[in-house]
Amino acid sequence: MEMSYEASDNLRAMLRRATILEVDDAGSQQTVRMRGLKGEEFTKVYRAQPHGFTSVPPADSEAFLMALGGRSDRVVMIGGEHKDKRPVGLAAGATALYGAHGELVSLVQQTVRVVGETVRVVASSKCIVEAPRTDLGGEGGSKVMTEAGPSSKVFAIV
């Protein structure tokens, strides 16, 4: 069975790149205003995101616009990244969570790295660090003094 010319055009138009102009993250679903093909502008487009993760891509980020059934009145946004903000050169198998201002959490070869001007850990009950050794202020340093005497696990640079 041969596909009609109109159906073929609809399929080709279903998925295309678009530029994010503005993001509205105030409601129960994130929506975006975006520019598609020449002369196309879409408002209140639902941005699909995976469970457990959310982000607000900055203006001029690129994403995929999916026109369901090839119809421009039924669009959904998928993805969204800014070419100048995404960290590059990660090793195979590495994962990074990043922000637009240089914040970074990376998982690379059994090392978890958190980078930011301020790193805050908030816990409602307690915070537990389990490690054979903890270094504060950088690697090395002196044993931290406790009520029981010098620690054999916690070191600090003074």
Side-chain angles (χ1 to χ4, degrees):
M1 176 180 220
E2 197 169 309
M3 188 179 304
S4 74
Y5 184 74
E6 182 181 322
S8 177
D9 278 352
N10 285 348
L11 284 175
R12 279 194 289 275
M14 282 181 68
L15 190 63
R16 54 191 181 264
R17 287 171 62 151
T19 302
I20 297 169
L21 302 173
E22 185 177 68
V23 178
D24 180 355
D25 195 46
S28 61
Q29 292 184 330
Q30 189 180 86
T31 60
V32 296
R33 185 170 63 89
M34 55 195 320
R35 182 177 51 245
L37 300 172
K38 186 176 181 177
E40 283 184 325
E41 186 172 311
F42 300 94
T43 59
K44 297 185 180 180
V45 175
Y46 167 64
R47 177 173 177 237
Q49 299 184 64
H51 171 75
F53 176 82
T54 187
S55 67
V56 179
D60 295 325
S61 293
E62 294 180 348
F64 283 104
L65 180 139
M66 185 168 61
L68 303 174
R71 293 176 45 178
S72 60
D73 63 333
R74 299 164 83 190
V75 295
V76 175
M77 184 188 134
I78 302 170
E81 72 174 8
H82 196 287
K83 64 183 176 73
D84 298 328
K85 308 295 184 186
R86 185 180 67 83
V88 298
L90 295 175
T95 300
L97 173 67
Y98 63 95
H101 305 285
E103 315 86 351
L104 177 73
V105 176
S106 63
L107 312 173
V108 182
Q109 299 173 348
Q110 297 186 351
T111 298
V112 177
R113 185 170 169 234
V114 179
V115 177
E117 188 173 307
T118 301
V119 176
R120 178 178 290 149
V121 177
V122 178
S124 61
S125 162
K126 65 172 84 170
C127 180
I128 300 169
V129 177
E130 292 185 23
R133 179 179 171 131
T134 301
D135 290 72
L136 304 172
E139 198 164 338
S142 305
K143 292 181 177 182
V144 170
M145 188 57 72
T146 70
E147 288 180 358
S151 173
S152 62
K153 294 185 174 190
V154 182
F155 296 78
I157 294 176
V158 182

